[in-house]
């Protein structure tokens, strides 16, 4: 049985691989992280969970290459033997410089800052596309089916207790409303195979993985979910997370458009791919009825209100995501008309 990281002897054994000793005090912010003060400044020791050696080393190579390209990506520090991955007592670790910064809500960013952030994600996509092996461009994407979601809603309805408390009554109302929506919108199900631009993406680009300094982003964190996926899907998911209220207020579509515009200036896709990705994400949220289970008591009503807003505003949402591309095309057409005349 392996010894936990908090054990001083294991920590000491790990840190010796980097030529470090255990300080008297260590800060453990959670998530397998231990912050340590050293003579060269603070560092963070990270225990790498749920990933195999090959995945970790690939992530390290990507991080080093992205940092070399000028992107704010934390670089793993090589141990004394030159390796960035250390295995001790059956557990895997990496060491990074501690980066000071703070998280910011995407809804607090100005429109120019939203555009700049979109450009940063575009640079990440451009560099990942350049440096990683080519991948198949037609991707089979698992798509939720309306009938399956309806069946799950029926199961949850049948499982509600009698008599019902306030939560059960609210869950029943939301489940019946969602069931009706799914029945009415069943023909909106997206296809399972699409020819889209696919490559390696960050996999978890949201406010919790972005550190801001005085002059902008100082670190993109959370590279554990690096994976192959459509670029447009990551763009849409990031925008929805960053600029969505998560309730009846929906999304800030001005900020969404600015974000996509910044991305388009660096890594061009097209309106059809982005609208398809936005439609697919809306459909996934529509089919997710698990939010009405009691274990999601704190988020079910807000999630239901957000999906209701998105369903009502589906066309305007799709237009907002595609606006940077459609407006550019209109401008080009106008220029052609002026040249002819």
């Amino acid at each position: 049985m392996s010894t936990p990281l908090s054990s001083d002897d294991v920590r000491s054994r790990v840190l010796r691989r980097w030529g470090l000793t255990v300080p008297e005090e260590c800060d453990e912010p959670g998530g397998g992280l231990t912050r340590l003060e050293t003579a060269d400044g603070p560092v963070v020791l990270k225990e790498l969970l749920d990933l195999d050696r090959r995945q970790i080393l690939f992530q390290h190579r990507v991080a080093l290459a992205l940092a070399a390209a000028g992107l704010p990506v934390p670089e793993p520090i090589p141990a004394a033997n030159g390796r960035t991955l250390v295995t001790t007592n059956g557990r895997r670790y990496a060491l990074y410089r501690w980066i000071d910064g703070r998280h910011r809500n995407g809804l607090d960013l100005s429109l120019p800052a939203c555009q700049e952030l979109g450009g940063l994600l575009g640079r990440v996509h451009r560099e990942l596309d350049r440096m990683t092996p080519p991948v198949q461009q037609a991707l089979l994407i698992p798509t939720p089916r309306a009938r399956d979601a309806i069946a799950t809603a029926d199961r949850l309805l049948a499982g509600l207790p009698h008599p019902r408390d306030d939560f059960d009554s609210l869950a029943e109302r939301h489940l019946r409303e969602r069931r009706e929506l799914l029945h009415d919108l069943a023909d909106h199900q997206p296809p399972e195979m699409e020819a889209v631009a696919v490559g390696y993406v960050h996999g978890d680009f949201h406010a919790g993985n972005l550190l801001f300094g005085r002059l902008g982003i100082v670190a993109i964190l959370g590279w554990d979910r690096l994976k192959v996926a459509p670029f447009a899907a990551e763009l849409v998911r990031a925008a929805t997370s960053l600029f969505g209220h998560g309730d009846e207020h929906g999304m800030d579509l001005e900020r969404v458009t600015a974000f996509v515009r910044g991305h388009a200036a660096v890594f061009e896709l097209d309106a059809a791919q982005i609208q398809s990705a936005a439609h697919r994400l809306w459909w996934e949220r529509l089919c997710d009825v698990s939010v009405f289970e009691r274990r999601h008591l704190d988020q079910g009503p807000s999630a239901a209100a957000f999906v209701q807003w998105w369903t009502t505003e589906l066309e305007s949402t799709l237009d907002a995501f595609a606006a940077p591309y459609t407006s550019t095309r209109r401008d080009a057409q106008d220029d052609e008309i002026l040249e002819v005349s």
Side-chain angles (χ1 to χ4, degrees):
M1 185 174 179
S2 58
T3 308
L5 174 60
S6 56
S7 171
D8 285 343
D9 59 336
V10 174
R11 184 186 283 123
S12 176
R13 204 180 322 155
V14 171
L15 291 174
R16 279 202 302 269
R17 303 286 289 275
W18 279 278
L20 300 173
T21 58
V22 180
E24 291 185 5
E25 294 186 7
C26 299
D27 179 26
E28 297 188 21
L33 304 177
T34 302
R35 185 181 187 275
L36 310 128
E37 293 291 341
T38 73
D40 295 325
V43 296
V44 58
L45 183 67
K46 181 175 182 179
E47 183 178 0
L48 301 161
L49 307 169
D50 304 323
L51 294 171
D52 63 31
R53 179 181 177 81
R54 181 185 57 80
Q55 290 172 312
I56 295 168
L57 292 176
F58 178 68
Q59 287 178 7
H60 286 184
R61 288 195 298 271
V62 166
L64 290 166
L66 290 174
L71 286 160
V73 176
E75 302 174 70
I77 301 171
N81 61 5
R83 297 175 181 173
T84 56
L85 175 63
V86 165
T87 301
T88 298
N89 206 38
R91 304 172 88 117
R92 299 184 177 97
Y93 303 95
L95 191 72
Y96 297 86
R97 298 288 175 198
W98 179 265
I99 301 172
D100 285 320
R102 63 189 179 97
H103 301 295
R104 294 187 63 186
N105 190 316
L107 293 165
D108 294 334
L109 301 178
S110 66
L111 292 179
C114 294
Q115 185 165 333
E116 184 177 345
L117 184 55
L120 178 61
L121 180 59
R123 288 173 60 202
V124 169
H125 286 169
R126 183 183 65 193
E127 291 303 319
L128 285 173
D129 191 46
R130 180 183 65 81
M131 69 179 56
T132 54
V135 298
Q136 180 179 334
Q137 291 303 298
L139 192 66
L140 180 63
I141 307 172
T143 303
R145 298 182 183 277
R147 65 172 179 266
D148 295 335
I150 290 172
T152 302
D154 288 341
R155 177 178 57 78
L156 293 174
L157 283 167
L160 291 174
H162 294 281
R164 292 177 182 164
D165 59 21
D166 290 343
F167 171 77
D168 296 324
S169 298
L170 184 62
E172 179 182 15
R173 179 166 66 83
H174 284 313
L175 282 166
R176 293 195 185 282
E177 289 173 353
R178 184 63 61 84
R179 191 184 188 287
E180 184 176 347
L181 271 178
L182 286 163
H183 183 270
D184 292 343
L185 299 171
D187 60 345
H188 283 57
Q189 179 175 313
E192 293 197 355
M193 177 71 77
E194 288 189 281
V196 294
V198 176
Y200 282 91
V201 300
H202 176 275
D204 205 19
F205 197 91
H206 59 74
N209 279 329
L210 299 173
L211 277 184
F212 285 81
R214 199 165 48 86
L215 300 177
I217 298 286
V218 294
I220 304 171
L221 309 174
W223 289 90
D224 294 348
R225 296 189 181 181
L226 180 70
K227 63 180 181 179
V228 173
F231 294 112
E234 171 148 276
L235 174 64
V236 167
R237 196 172 292 274
T240 303
S241 171
L242 288 163
F243 311 117
H245 294 274
D247 55 21
E248 69 276 9
H249 296 100
M251 275 183 267
D252 187 314
L253 296 183
E254 271 194 294
R255 284 180 166 84
V256 166
T257 298
F259 183 72
V260 176
R261 181 175 291 114
H263 186 275
V266 179
F267 189 75
E268 189 172 359
L269 299 170
D270 61 60
Q273 288 185 58
I274 294 172
Q275 286 187 318
S276 176
H279 179 269
R280 182 178 294 278
L281 183 56
W282 160 76
W283 178 259
E284 289 175 1
R285 298 287 179 88
L286 182 68
C287 288
D288 183 11
V289 296
S290 66
V291 295
F292 303 122
E293 296 183 66
R294 182 171 285 274
R295 61 194 173 96
H296 298 305
L297 181 63
D298 59 332
Q299 56 183 283
S302 295
F306 181 68
V307 170
Q308 186 65 54
W309 175 91
W310 200 344
T311 301
T312 303
E313 300 294 333
L314 183 58
E315 291 305 318
S316 59
T317 304
L318 295 178
D319 289 344
F321 273 104
Y325 290 94
T326 53
S327 60
T328 300
R329 187 165 63 247
R330 282 197 301 270
D331 292 344
Q333 290 171 344
D334 291 343
D335 290 343
E336 289 177 5
I337 292 171
L338 287 172
E339 288 177 6
V340 170
S341 59

